[in-house]
């Protein structure tokens, strides 16, 4: 707002308008004054104070319009060490200025379309990647990395063209993966295997925040990877998947932070080509199995978690493969179900991931089948009644949200190797009717995908109860309005259609 416009409103005399215009006008003048100070050679403490005020003011879009210029953006880039210079990050006294400048840039880019356009013109994404490389292996500048990554995430969120630039020109995939490796202090024991210390300390709050920002930026960089995956990219995606496996097996400083960390890992795993997800499981040698058991034996009973007990009893080892990460994903899914809300955003990503893993990788499917659909012994209660994972998933098959019930049904269908008779055994006909109708399988059969044959897992309880199931059959209406078994009703309608075609 210019001075003449401000004076005109003041002279008009409306109290509320006068207050607003004076506040906006003074804030705008304050912003302009701050930038004039920042170009001068002033003490670091003064720069930090100016930037802190600017960060607060930059939350207001109206104030940003007149002060978002190329010159002012370049001032902030210089203070954030994002200019063309090859300066190293050696002066610790400058770190607060860098961090506050990055915070200001985050607010300004998020709230100003002009700043977003200037970011493209100034090639901000490349500058951010260059700064990340300078602090990639530095342990004590997590705040700089965190806000650099947050700004990179915002840019790649607001401009789809930057995603492609990050992926190919700037080599963002290996760079961001290395940032995660550094945050997790990963030590590789094999090409795609890392050492996991179950007794190690949790991530610090700074390391956790840095990792979360890196995961979000990586999600944008790889969001279309499943469409354009090339064989030459397999190695890089497998490395990233191995890093994400490590992420699932460690914890943050609090339970909420751990859930946020794992949630972003799940989202990113959804972008990994399914053929590369085999690194989520890895073979255990006899020495590793013995070492794992010995380590867990040393844990005090009050420090033993459910996962520790399962590991100790070898229930997380299937066909000689370590299933820890899959077990974590399964527990994460169950917790999201138990929350009872925000299923589409919170539950469907992990359900989709487990479905695709099960469809593509036999060992993962068989392990999950054992965990979710163990041999059926309770044949007296309805499938949706109870507190097991199976009961919870069956209840979701009739959820009001179409997307939620479809992916829940699909997951169970894949665990049953897309065999209708197996699905009905675990879910009941009524709960499965929606999926079967959509796939044209109401009369029975199996899906299109091929699965290996497994041995019969029917329990004695189920075998005794199975003949009584004939009391419940899918029914339909005949053309004359009477009820008949569904197969017979469908066949009669087919005859009518053929007759009508002949008459025409």
């Amino acid at each position: 707002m210019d001075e003449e416009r401000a004076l005109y409103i003041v002279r008009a005399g409306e109290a509320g308008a006068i207050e607003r215009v004076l506040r906006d006008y003074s804030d705008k003048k304050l912003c302009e004054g701050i930038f004039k100070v920042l170009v001068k050679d002033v003490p670091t403490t003064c720069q930090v104070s100016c930037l802190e005020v600017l960060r607060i003011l930059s939350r207001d879009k109206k104030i940003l319009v007149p002060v978002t210029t190329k010159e002012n953006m370049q001032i902030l880039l210089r203070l954030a060490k994002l200019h063309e210079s090859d300066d190293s990050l050696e002066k610790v006294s400058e770190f607060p200025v860098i961090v506050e400048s990055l915070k200001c840039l985050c607010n300004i880019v998020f709230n100003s379309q002009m700043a977003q356009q200037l970011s493209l013109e100034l090639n901000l994404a490349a500058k951010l990647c260059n700064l990340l490389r300078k602090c990639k292996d530095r342990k004590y500048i997590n705040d700089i990395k965190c806000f650099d990554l947050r700004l990179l995430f915002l840019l790649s969120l607001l401009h789809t063209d930057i995603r492609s630039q990050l992926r190919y020109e700037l080599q963002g995939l290996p760079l961001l993966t290395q940032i995660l490796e550094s945050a997790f202090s990963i030590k590789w024991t094999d090409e795609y295997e890392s050492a996991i210390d179950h007794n190690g300390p949790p991530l610090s709050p700074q390391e956790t925040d840095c990792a979360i920002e890196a995961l979000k930026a990586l999600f944008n960089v790889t969001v279309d990877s499943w469409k354009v995956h090339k064989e030459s990219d397999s190695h890089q995606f497998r490395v990233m998947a191995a890093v994400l496996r490590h992420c699932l097996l460690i914890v943050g400083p609090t339970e909420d932070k751990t859930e946020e960390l794992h949630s972003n890992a799940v989202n990113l795993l959804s972008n990994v080509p399914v053929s590369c997800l085999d690194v989520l499981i890895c073979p255990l040698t006899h020495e590793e199995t013995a070492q794992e058991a010995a380590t867990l034996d040393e844990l005090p009973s009050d420090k033993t978690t459910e996962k520790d007990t399962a590991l100790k009893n070898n229930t997380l080892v299937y066909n000689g493969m370590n299933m820890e990460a899959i077990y974590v994903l399964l527990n994460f899914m169950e917790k999201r179900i138990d929350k009872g809300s925000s299923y589409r955003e919170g539950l469907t990503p992990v359900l989709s991931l487990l479905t695709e893993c099960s469809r593509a990788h036999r060992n993962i499917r068989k392990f999950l089948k054992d965990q979710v659909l163990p041999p059926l012994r309770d044949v007296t209660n309805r499938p949706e009644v109870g507190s097991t994972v199976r009961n919870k998933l069956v209840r979701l098959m009739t959820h009001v949200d179409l997307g939620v019930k479809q992916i829940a049904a699909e997951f169970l269908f894949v665990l049953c190797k897309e065999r209708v008779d197996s699905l009905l055994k675990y879910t009941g006909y009524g709960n499965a009717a929606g999926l079967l109708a959509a796939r044209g399988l109401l009369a029975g059969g199996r899906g299109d995908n091929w699965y290996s044959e497994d041995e019969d897992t029917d329990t004695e309880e189920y075998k005794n109860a199975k003949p009584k199931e004939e009391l419940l059959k899918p029914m339909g209406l005949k053309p004359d309005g009477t009820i008949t078994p569904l197969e017979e009703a469908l066949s009669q309608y087919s005859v009518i259609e053929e007759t009508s075609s002949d008459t025409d």
Side-chain angles (χ1 to χ4, degrees):
M1 182 180 297
D2 58 30
E3 294 181 17
E4 291 185 5
R5 176 64 178 162
L7 287 172
Y8 173 79
I9 294 176
V10 170
R11 290 189 186 117
E14 201 276 305
I18 291 174
E19 183 181 349
R20 285 194 303 273
V21 72
L22 288 177
R23 185 176 65 249
D24 292 346
Y25 185 70
S26 62
D27 286 347
K28 176 205 162 192
K29 284 295 183 182
L30 180 56
C31 276
E32 292 174 346
I34 287 172
F35 279 108
K36 288 177 182 177
V37 172
L38 291 174
V39 296
K40 298 177 181 178
D41 186 14
V42 295
T44 299
T45 54
C46 180
Q47 289 178 321
V48 172
S49 297
C50 287
L51 290 166
E52 287 174 344
V53 174
L54 181 62
R55 170 168 53 85
I56 295 170
L57 293 173
S58 62
R59 297 168 185 166
D60 190 331
K61 294 183 180 181
K62 293 183 294 183
I63 295 172
L64 286 177
V65 173
V67 297
T68 304
T69 64
K70 185 175 182 179
E71 181 183 0
N72 287 344
M73 287 285 286
Q74 288 174 324
I75 292 172
L76 291 175
L77 295 185
R78 178 178 57 80
L79 292 172
K81 297 296 182 184
L82 292 171
H83 52 308
E84 300 300 332
S85 170
D86 291 330
D87 291 349
S88 59
L89 299 175
E90 297 298 335
K91 295 182 180 179
V92 177
S93 61
E94 294 179 342
F95 289 179
V97 176
I98 298 173
V99 172
E100 285 300 326
S101 300
L102 288 169
K103 289 179 181 179
C104 289
L105 284 167
C106 286
N107 283 356
I108 292 170
V109 167
F110 181 73
N111 288 315
S112 169
Q113 289 188 347
M114 175 60 71
Q116 294 163 21
Q117 292 300 320
L118 287 170
S119 298
L120 293 175
E121 184 180 336
L122 295 168
N123 200 14
L124 181 53
K127 292 176 169 61
L128 288 168
C129 287
N130 187 45
L131 180 59
L132 276 179
R133 290 187 177 92
K134 291 179 183 178
C135 57
K136 183 175 59 178
D137 299 319
R138 304 281 295 277
K139 280 274 183 193
Y140 303 105
I141 51 178
N142 279 319
D143 283 345
I144 295 177
K145 284 193 284 189
C146 183
F147 289 102
D148 183 307
L149 290 163
R150 183 171 299 178
L151 186 50
L152 204 57
F153 163 72
L154 287 172
L155 286 175
S156 57
L157 176 70
L158 297 166
H159 285 289
T160 55
D161 291 345
I162 287 181
R163 298 174 192 171
S164 178
Q165 181 193 15
L166 277 171
R167 173 77 188 280
Y168 299 106
E169 178 187 334
L170 301 175
Q171 294 296 296
L173 184 56
L175 173 62
L176 293 171
T177 302
Q178 288 165 8
I179 293 292
L180 282 176
E181 287 184 50
S182 175
F184 299 148
S185 302
I186 289 182
K187 295 180 176 61
W188 296 105
T189 59
D190 205 340
E191 188 174 21
Y192 304 121
E193 293 179 36
S194 61
I196 304 293
D197 183 3
H198 292 287
N199 296 325
L203 291 177
S204 69
Q206 295 81 7
E207 290 168 337
T208 306
D209 289 340
C210 186
I212 288 171
E213 295 299 335
L215 289 169
K216 287 158 60 178
L218 266 170
F219 179 86
N220 287 345
V221 172
T222 60
V223 70
D224 295 322
S225 296
W226 62 276
K227 296 180 182 177
V228 296
H229 173 54
K230 299 177 182 177
E231 195 62 35
S232 58
D233 296 332
S234 289
H235 170 69
Q236 190 57 55
F237 278 112
R238 286 176 184 275
V239 171
M240 186 174 76
V243 171
L244 294 176
R245 177 184 182 274
H246 188 102
C247 177
L248 291 172
L249 300 180
I250 57 179
V251 296
T254 65
E255 188 175 343
D256 287 344
K257 275 297 181 182
T258 299
E259 183 174 355
E260 185 181 0
L261 181 70
H262 289 177
S263 177
N264 281 283
V266 167
N267 292 339
L268 182 52
L269 278 169
S270 301
N271 290 349
V272 176
V274 69
S275 61
C276 299
L277 292 175
D278 57 341
V279 299
L280 290 178
I281 59 177
C282 56
L284 277 180
T285 65
H286 292 299
E287 293 79 7
E288 288 173 329
T289 304
Q291 182 180 4
E292 189 73 55
T295 300
L296 292 172
D297 278 331
E298 295 171 2
L299 285 176
S301 58
D302 60 336
K303 297 292 179 96
T304 304
T305 66
E306 182 183 351
K307 186 175 79 170
D308 293 331
T309 303
L311 272 172
K312 193 172 180 179
N313 296 332
N314 270 345
T315 54
L316 297 190
V317 178
Y318 188 89
N319 275 354
M321 307 296 287
N322 186 322
M323 295 289 176
E324 281 184 273
I326 305 302
Y327 185 77
V328 171
L329 289 172
L330 185 61
N331 279 347
F332 180 85
M333 178 201 74
E334 188 172 8
K335 287 179 182 177
R336 287 296 171 94
I337 294 175
D338 292 341
K339 277 191 171 182
S341 61
S342 303
Y343 281 159
R344 181 173 286 273
E345 299 81 13
L347 177 62
T348 54
V350 66
L351 260 179
S352 298
L353 175 63
L354 289 174
T355 301
E356 292 307 313
C357 283
S358 300
R359 183 177 279 125
H361 302 289
R362 178 175 180 266
N363 281 328
I364 294 178
R365 175 182 60 77
K366 296 188 75 173
F367 172 76
L368 286 172
K369 171 78 179 298
D370 284 353
Q371 298 289 320
V372 178
L373 302 175
L376 196 59
R377 300 191 183 279
D378 180 6
V379 294
T380 58
N381 290 316
R382 295 193 302 274
E384 66 273 19
V385 175
S387 59
T388 66
V389 182
R390 174 177 74 101
N391 302 142
K392 295 172 183 178
L393 286 166
V394 171
R395 286 197 288 272
L396 288 179
M397 294 174 76
T398 54
H399 194 272
V400 293
D401 188 303
L402 181 62
V404 171
K405 71 178 183 181
Q406 283 180 337
I407 190 59
E410 184 77 9
F411 177 51
L412 292 174
F413 195 42
V414 169
L415 293 188
C416 293
K417 298 189 296 186
E418 300 190 21
R419 287 174 46 183
V420 173
D421 57 343
S422 181
L423 180 69
L424 295 182
K425 177 173 80 171
Y426 289 105
T427 69
Y429 190 86
N431 294 312
L435 177 136
L436 299 180
R439 287 180 168 245
L441 294 171
L442 283 170
R446 66 187 305 166
D448 299 328
N449 293 289
W450 181 88
Y451 298 87
S452 62
E453 293 298 328
D454 294 333
E455 61 185 22
D456 182 20
T457 59
D458 287 352
T459 61
E460 289 300 318
E461 292 89 340
Y462 180 74
K463 289 177 180 177
N464 292 334
K466 189 173 182 180
K468 301 175 185 177
E469 288 186 330
E470 294 301 314
L471 297 174
L472 293 173
K473 286 185 176 181
M475 307 296 285
L477 287 175
K478 292 196 296 186
D480 63 2
T482 58
I483 297 177
T484 189
L486 184 62
E487 290 184 33
E488 184 179 337
L490 290 173
S491 66
Q492 291 199 15
Y493 278 109
S494 299
V495 171
I496 291 175
E497 288 181 5
E498 291 176 3
T499 305
S500 299
S501 301
D502 293 342
T503 303
D504 291 342

